[in-house]
Structure formats: C-alpha cells, structure tokens
Amino acid sequence: MGKGILVVPGLGRSDRLQVVYDNIVNLLGPTRASTPAVQWDCVIYVYTSRTESEFWTSPENAKKWSYLSSRCDIVENIGKKVTENMYSLQPALIRAAYQYVFILLDDIRAPTSTSGSLLQQMIDALSCNRLSVLSPMISGANKGGGQKFRNIMQTPPQPNTIGYVSSFVEIFAWLLTMPAYEALWELLCPEVNPYAWGYDFWYNGYAKQRVPGHRMGIMSSVVFAHEQDGTGTGAGRTDNTRVEDKWNAVMAQERHYQKYRGISLSQCRKHLDLSNSSWNGAVKDYLHACPLP
C-alpha cells in the first residue's frame, strides 16, 4: 500500500476555508481512512493570525476547523506565503513516508466524486501513463498574456482519451511522484522570489534534467474549478503585489540560480517545449484510461 500527502500551501480567508473544507471532505472523507491502494495524510498551512476571530471562531467556521483539525495537520505560519510554506515541506523529511504529493491551492474546487476515490483515479492515470506530474483540467484557468498554449488547461479530452501529455501544466492541483516533488522543491527560493511566479515556466525544463522519465499530463476528463471573485479589488486575489514586482522577483531568482547554482532557469523559461503557439502547442501525446488498451 502506498501513501500520499495532500498539501494546501496557504489558507487565510473564510471564503477559501469553505472551498478547502469541501475539498477535504470530498477527496479524503470524514476519517483517516485508506483508499483502495493509497492512504492519504493532509497538511494545511494557515497564514492568518488568531486575532482574526471571525476566520477562526465564528460558529460556522469553528465547525469547519473542528473537522479539518481532526483530518489534517494544521500549521499556522502567520503572514507566510505559499512558497515559504512549501519550502518548509522538505523532501528529506517526507520522502521515506510518502510516494505521492498532491498540491491543492485554496481557490481550486474539486468535483464531487461519484465513482470511487478521485485521487485513486488520478494515481492510476499517473501510473499507467508513466507520468511524474498530473493535473486535472482547470475550468477558469489563466489565459493571460496572449499565450494560447495555456488553453490546454481548459481543453476537453479528445475522443477515446482522458487528456493530454503536455510540456506545460500550470500549478493549481498537481499530483506528483516524490522525485517530481523534489524537483519542484529545488526550485523554491522564497528569500529571493516569494510570490510563486515562474515555476510553471521553469519546471518542465528543469525536471527533464532531474527526474528520470519525466512526463507531465492533464487529466481533462476530471474537472476542478478555479474560483476567484473578480468583482472586487484585486480580482479576488489574496496577494495584491504588483505584477511588476512579481516579475522582478522572477528575474532575480533566475540571476541567483545562474550565479550560485550554475542553473539557467532563464533558458527553461525562454525555450519552452512547444510545437506551435496555439492551444495544442504543448501537447506531446494523449492520456488513456487504465488499463491501457
């Protein structure tokens, strides 16, 4: 029997608490039970202080925290960002206990599973398609910057397939093997770039050098939703740091890795493995249901 850990790397808003609560209930169930082949633990990193009493102790939220505390480890890192929390989840500390890591952002809603364990279905697809990283399809994923290849995150599967092998997968809900997670962790540099920008563009090129047989996939037959309230200031984002500041941090990390580690992250970003600039530019193959035909 294998074992995995589900990680929510940042939580601090009541609306996101509802999403996380629903996801844990739906994906992991009411107790620390086992799926048919994989047992799951869970850790939730919280950045909001206990002085925010509405978030922690309102009658509605207190019930959610009671359940989440019984099902997951709650780590209170006040004021910390996603990259800082992920950096604390060191592969050296968890690799002996877990074979899989599932990173699930707090604004991503999982579907209600009606046919057994959704995570087990994803692990089966990851394994039989020989992937190191698997994401579900993300409705409402980003389409910014005129980069049409990003549309693969929202593209339904082709007939007789369940999705795509893709050289670009945006980080919303990533299921990773432990070697794949180690490669992602090696890219985390919160002291230089705390904003979680750049990793989608660096990861594939970097992982090719670090993870034997590296392949990423999007299981388009399973749809998670990116939920953000775009009506208010900041378009529903928790971090309203200026885009210019975030890109400056990306450039700073690329210089840092080149100077101190001899790793050219800028090459990974500037030379994405794309066959064209359209919606299918990142597609390398199709994913098939298990068992494979």
Side-chain angles (χ1 to χ4, degrees):
M1 176 181 291
K3 196 169 185 180
I5 183 168
L6 188 156
V7 183
V8 179
L11 172 63
R13 290 169 34 173
S14 290
D15 58 337
R16 303 284 176 81
L17 175 59
Q18 181 67 58
V19 174
V20 170
Y21 171 82
D22 291 342
N23 285 344
I24 300 303
V25 169
N26 183 39
L27 293 173
L28 302 188
T31 61
R32 292 180 183 269
S34 299
T35 65
V38 175
Q39 180 180 350
W40 286 92
D41 288 337
C42 169
V43 59
I44 300 172
Y45 291 91
V46 183
Y47 56 80
T48 295
S49 168
R50 291 276 177 170
T51 60
E52 300 291 335
S53 57
E54 178 70 18
F55 176 72
W56 287 101
T57 61
S58 71
E60 183 177 356
N61 287 354
K63 292 178 181 179
K64 298 183 180 70
W65 282 119
S66 177
Y67 164 74
L68 291 173
S69 299
S70 71
R71 186 61 185 85
C72 305
D73 294 323
I74 309 299
V75 180
E76 298 179 42
N77 279 350
I78 308 307
K80 300 298 185 181
K81 298 184 184 299
V82 165
T83 48
E84 295 171 296
N85 291 329
M86 290 301 305
Y87 191 74
S88 70
L89 192 69
Q90 300 178 30
L93 301 178
I94 65 173
R95 70 165 66 98
Y98 301 107
Q99 290 74 54
Y100 305 100
V101 177
F102 185 50
I103 301 170
L104 184 59
L105 301 187
D106 67 338
D107 60 353
I108 302 300
R109 181 178 291 278
T112 300
S113 180
T114 58
S115 56
S117 170
L118 187 56
L119 286 177
Q120 186 61 49
Q121 293 174 45
M122 293 180 65
I123 286 176
D124 290 344
L126 178 108
S127 299
C128 69
N129 286 280
R130 296 178 291 107
L131 304 173
S132 46
V133 178
L134 180 66
S135 169
M137 175 176 160
I138 305 293
S139 66
N142 301 324
K143 294 184 178 179
Q147 298 165 322
K148 293 183 179 179
F149 64 85
R150 286 177 175 267
N151 292 349
I152 193 61
M153 294 299 302
Q154 300 191 60
T155 302
Q158 301 301 305
N160 302 314
T161 76
I162 61 170
Y164 305 90
V165 177
S166 178
S167 61
F168 176 84
V169 181
E170 192 164 357
I171 302 175
F172 292 108
W174 272 23
L175 175 65
L176 305 100
T177 64
M178 186 53 66
Y181 176 70
E182 292 194 39
L184 177 62
W185 186 86
E186 290 168 2
L187 290 174
L188 299 175
C189 191
E191 67 275 18
V192 176
N193 174 18
Y195 303 117
W197 276 41
Y199 304 107
D200 308 312
F201 295 100
W202 297 325
Y203 183 78
N204 187 61
Y206 182 75
K208 282 182 178 180
Q209 306 168 45
R210 301 290 294 164
V211 182
H214 167 70
R215 292 203 328 160
M216 302 192 297
I218 301 168
M219 191 174 181
S220 308
S221 59
V222 172
V223 183
F224 285 41
H226 186 206
E227 294 193 349
Q228 288 201 23
D229 178 8
T231 61
T233 302
R237 296 183 181 275
T238 300
D239 178 10
N240 292 321
T241 304
R242 295 186 310 163
V243 170
E244 178 183 1
D245 293 336
K246 292 180 178 181
W247 272 115
N248 285 340
V250 169
M251 299 299 105
Q253 182 169 345
E254 290 183 350
R255 293 191 297 270
H256 181 86
Y257 271 53
Q258 184 65 63
K259 181 176 182 178
Y260 295 106
R261 303 190 186 186
I263 297 171
S264 181
L265 296 182
S266 63
Q267 287 293 105
C268 296
R269 176 176 57 83
K270 294 176 181 178
H271 300 282
L272 299 177
D273 185 10
L274 303 175
S275 58
N276 59 68
S277 59
S278 70
W279 71 269
N280 63 353
V283 174
K284 300 303 174 186
D285 201 348
Y286 297 111
L287 299 184
H288 296 280
C290 305
L292 295 177

